[in-house]
Amino acid sequence: MKVGFVGLGIMGAPMAGHLIDAGHELYLYDIKPVSAELTGKGGVACASGTEVAKNADVIITMVPDTPHVAAALFGEGGIAAGLTPGKIVVDMSSIAPVETKEFAKKINALGCDYLDAPVSGGEVGAKAASLTIMVGGPDAAFETVKPLFEKMGKNITLVGGNGDGQTTKVANQIIVALTIEAVGEALLFASKAGADPAKVRQALMGGFANSRILEVHGERMVKRTFAPGFRIELHQKDLNLALNGARQLGLALPATALAQQLFSACAAHGGAAWDHSAMVKALELLANHTVAPDA
């Protein structure tokens, strides 16, 4: 396929690379210069999102937040200006579900389909092409784009209509944040009680408490390896989406609010760019005890 890719950061660059490796024709744009690695493999650097959209049949965006998607689609030099009927726009960023529905309506009005397809798996999953991809949008567009998704991820699900993919991602981020908090409390409790947190973690991984968070982030907590990964400031953004959505729905999410406050405590101590597993540091401050000594 002729594929456009706008947003070539920690996630977008390896995702675009997988599509080039699979033989697709890639047209690339980012606010920073496109890497020599991608152009060296055959990717075509473009001067704007408009140029990308003119050349590609499927245009993917992978940018940090809702305003960035709005700018990439509808700002000066944006993707919408280069669209012609029949093309498909795929937003793989993690953004607000309500705004996603509005973006979809605007793209549909140009005669094009829109898929919201946020991902889970972080930088590791992007590099390994093992991302979980949660999709909202029409069936036919999903089937057209699915071969591209299969080059970037493993668990690919069409959840429902536009906005449902983003809703699923917000739900995912609630579960991840609360599980990080639970693992942090458990390992902090074990350490304060005098047990070896590394051995406690190993024991728990054989039982019902096991999870990918315990496996991966529990190890980070024990080994004190908090380089991202997935930055706290990005998880804060996702939990803001959850809490803002909850207010709109008249819904209480008390544990989500607590997780956001713990992330905010980390950010206040200079940790906005720490890996989100470093939420445990906020718990450690409250306890005046660390899971393990800092390296």
Side-chain angles (χ1 to χ4, degrees):
M1 297 185 198
K2 292 182 178 181
V3 181
F5 212 110
V6 175
L8 300 165
I10 286 176
M11 300 289 289
M15 292 164 68
H18 294 314
L19 297 178
I20 296 172
D21 292 341
H24 297 289
E25 192 174 320
L26 266 287
Y27 295 90
L28 308 169
Y29 175 71
D30 192 82
I31 56 173
K32 297 178 181 179
V34 176
S35 73
E37 180 181 355
L38 291 174
T39 56
K41 294 200 294 186
V44 179
C46 295
S48 66
T50 302
E51 184 181 340
V52 168
K54 286 179 178 178
N55 284 285
D57 298 318
V58 175
I59 303 94
I60 296 170
T61 53
M62 186 60 171
V63 296
D65 203 350
T66 307
H68 304 100
V69 176
L73 292 175
F74 307 113
E76 184 178 352
I79 290 164
L83 294 175
T84 50
K87 297 191 176 189
I88 302 173
V89 175
V90 184
D91 178 38
M92 302 189 76
S93 319
S94 295
I95 68 168
V98 172
E99 281 82 349
T100 289
K101 293 177 183 180
E102 294 305 312
F103 296 161
K105 289 177 183 177
K106 291 181 180 179
I107 296 299
N108 293 160
L110 299 174
C112 299
D113 282 322
Y114 189 94
L115 297 173
D116 48 292
V119 304
S120 179
E123 182 182 6
V124 172
K127 289 182 174 178
S130 61
L131 295 167
T132 291
I133 305 175
M134 312 155 227
V135 189
D139 289 3
F142 172 74
E143 291 300 330
T144 298
V145 178
K146 190 176 180 182
L148 301 179
F149 290 150
E150 289 171 342
K151 298 302 179 184
M152 297 181 283
K154 299 294 185 186
N155 181 24
I156 303 155
T157 306
L158 178 61
V159 180
N162 283 130
D164 290 346
Q166 295 295 353
T167 296
T168 305
K169 177 59 188 288
V170 171
N172 178 86
Q173 295 303 78
I174 292 171
I175 292 171
V176 170
L178 270 57
T179 307
I180 290 173
E181 197 278 339
V183 169
E185 282 197 17
L187 295 182
L188 185 61
F189 170 79
S191 177
K192 182 70 173 179
D196 181 340
K199 291 182 179 178
V200 170
R201 169 183 162 274
Q202 193 65 43
L204 294 176
M205 284 171 58
F208 200 51
N210 190 30
S211 68
R212 283 287 289 164
I213 301 295
L214 178 63
E215 178 186 347
V216 176
H217 292 339
E219 182 177 46
R220 283 177 172 269
M221 294 174 191
V222 171
K223 292 186 175 179
R224 319 306 287 173
T225 51
F226 295 124
F230 187 74
R231 300 191 305 276
I232 279 175
E233 61 189 349
L234 292 178
H235 209 144
Q236 285 183 292
K237 178 261 296 184
D238 291 338
L239 293 191
N240 278 334
L241 296 177
L243 295 170
N244 289 336
R247 279 189 287 272
Q248 292 171 332
L249 295 167
L251 179 68
L253 298 177
T256 302
L258 171 61
Q260 182 70 302
Q261 291 300 308
L262 292 170
F263 279 141
S264 294
C266 291
H269 284 79
W274 294 341
D275 184 78
H276 57 167
S277 60
M279 181 199 283
V280 73
K281 288 194 170 189
L283 297 170
E284 291 170 344
L285 285 167
L286 293 171
N288 194 26
H289 181 85
T290 59
V291 168
D294 285 316

